Amino acid sequence: MKNFDYYKPKTLAELLKLKDENSAVFAGGTDLLVDIRSGKKNIEKVIDIKGIKEFYGIKKVKGGITIGACETFNSIAKSQFIRKLEALRCASSVMGCYEIRNRATIGGNISNSSPGCETGVVLVVFEAKVNIISKRGKRTVPIEKFFKGVNKTDLKPNEIVQSIFIPEIKNSLSFYRRYSRTEGMDLACCNGAFLIINPKNPLKREIRMSFGTVTPIPFRDREIERDLSRKKLTQDDIDKAYLKICERIAPREGSVRASPEEKRLAIKNFMNEVLGPPHFISPLKRGRKRGGKR
Ligand SMILES: Cc1cc2nc3c(=O)[nH]c(=O)nc-3n(C[C@H](O)[C@H](O)[C@H](O)COP(=O)(O)OP(=O)(O)OC[C@H]3O[C@@H](n4cnc5c(N)ncnc54)[C@H](O)[C@@H]3O)c2cc1C
């Protein structure tokens, strides 16, 4: 592995001074160290942000919940505030393996912007916002604008994700689905998140859904969502929506994890399972513990 300088600032002010275009932020290191070791990334200066308190905390705030960028998947999965956000709780408890979930952070997950990253589809259906900090100040970006492509985000070279805000959406249910090659540890071949607002009232019901690994960034299509919302859902509606999704996604040929056909089939299964009869049954009510890996 190529040598690099390692810094561990103790304060936010120290970090903002250190962060420049030749440096990379180091949170859990579960993507960064792999990329440095493989030569994919050539970095001279690595800045460990785990000692800075401003990157922690899962808190209820006005209008929603904020999650510090350095919060790990295990701490998110266990948080009392995440219990109601079933899709996020579920995604956080099935990613990687226990040891990885103990190190890997939510800030690192979105900043790495892998097409099937665990939290991408979930944060997209919740319409989360990313709070970014740099020596120039703070700014907030909607998650859909944060993702720009495979390993590409809206972050400028000296910017750092400080936290993620998830707005409170009353009277809603959320679901996470993941298809992977093994029962054990593997990245998702395809994943999907659903948010159903006003689930029991067909005329007021709003359906949001997002799928990972089928386009460079999480796929969400508001027109297709509108076709499924504010009506009594039939199997025909679900089938038509699925066909439209198939026309609009572009799963990569030659993926080592799943063929485009397998990914399309995974989406069909996710949709039938969540949207089809008996309609939007919480995984907890169905008696599933984690609703996750298959
Ligand atoms: C064995 C193994 C299994 C895995 N399984 C999964 C899986 O099932 N699902 C999945 O989604 N991922 C998986 N991953 C990938 C990885 O664990 C996740 O993407 C993880 O969330 C990355 O977080 P991290 O804290 O380790 O990030 P790091 O490796 O520290 O950083 C990743 C990238 O983000 C940047 N970065 C980190 N924090 C910030 C910040 N706050 N602001 C700005 N930039 C930042 C870094 O500079 C780097 O470019 C796996 C990795 C391994 C090694």
Side-chain angles (χ1 to χ4, degrees), residues 3-9 14-27 32 36 41-49 111 133-135 155-161:
N3 286 347
F4 54 79
D5 293 328
Y6 171 82
Y7 297 84
K8 191 166 184 189
E14 239 182 281
L15 164 67
L16 297 183
K17 233 185 200 172
L18 272 170
K19 184 76 186 86
D20 58 24
E21 49 272 27
N22 302 316
S23 63
V25 162
F26 172 96
L32 184 67
I36 295 179
K41 278 190 180 153
N42 185 6
I43 288 157
E44 293 163 13
K45 197 162 124 188
V46 166
I47 311 174
D48 189 334
I49 59 170
S111 301
I133 191 161
S134 73
K135 56 186 132 197
L155 284 174
K156 309 287 175 294
N158 58 0
E159 289 184 325
I160 306 156
V161 175

Side-chain angles (χ1 to χ4, degrees), residues 33 51 62 78 91 127 148 207 214 260:
L33 289 184
K62 197 174 168 223
K78 283 181 203 148
E127 299 186 348
K148 292 288 183 204
I207 292 177
V214 291

Side-chain angles (χ1 to χ4, degrees), residues 101-269:
R101 294 195 288 274
N102 247 359
R103 276 204 74 82
T105 65
I106 190 165
N109 198 239
I110 60 165
S111 301
N112 194 55
S113 187
S114 147
C117 75
E118 222 74 47
T119 56
V121 289
V122 176
L123 296 176
V124 162
V125 295
F126 281 113
E127 299 186 348
K129 293 195 165 85
V130 185
N131 296 318
I132 295 169
I133 191 161
S134 73
K135 56 186 132 197
R136 287 193 308 275
K138 294 183 177 188
R139 68 184 181 106
T140 297
V141 181
I143 189 78
E144 279 176 275
K145 294 209 166 122
F146 180 81
F147 293 124
K148 292 288 183 204
V150 179
N151 303 134
K152 287 192 193 107
T153 67
D154 190 49
L155 284 174
K156 309 287 175 294
N158 58 0
E159 289 184 325
I160 306 156
V161 175
Q162 187 174 358
S163 63
I164 291 141
F165 170 76
I166 303 180
E168 183 184 2
I169 302 169
K170 291 208 169 92
N171 192 16
S172 64
L173 287 172
S174 65
F175 301 84
Y176 181 69
R177 288 291 182 271
R178 176 195 223 262
Y179 162 61
S180 63
R181 291 175 299 180
T182 63
E183 281 290 333
M185 182 173 62
D186 198 7
L187 294 173
C189 295
C190 185
N191 59 353
F194 296 78
L195 182 78
I196 322 290
I197 306 171
N198 299 321
K200 290 197 175 141
N201 184 341
L203 296 182
K204 288 191 176 165
R205 185 192 298 136
E206 193 189 316
I207 292 177
R208 297 183 193 169
M209 48 190 187
S210 176
F211 302 102
T213 80
V214 291
T215 40
I217 61 173
F219 173 82
R220 182 176 173 199
D221 188 309
R222 284 168 173 76
E223 187 199 314
I224 300 175
E225 289 177 353
R226 272 196 298 276
D227 290 346
L228 292 170
S229 297
R230 297 179 198 285
K231 59 157 70 154
K232 210 168 169 217
L233 261 187
T234 64
Q235 188 61 45
D236 192 45
D237 294 325
I238 298 169
D239 294 344
K240 279 187 182 144
Y242 166 70
L243 290 176
K244 268 195 185 171
I245 290 173
C246 289
E247 282 165 14
R248 295 175 191 190
I249 57 175
R252 189 167 60 85
E253 294 281 351
S255 156
V256 291
R257 289 199 174 77
S259 65
E261 292 71 33
E262 285 171 302
K263 291 183 182 190
R264 286 189 200 104
L265 184 60
I267 292 179
K268 187 177 196 168
N269 290 340

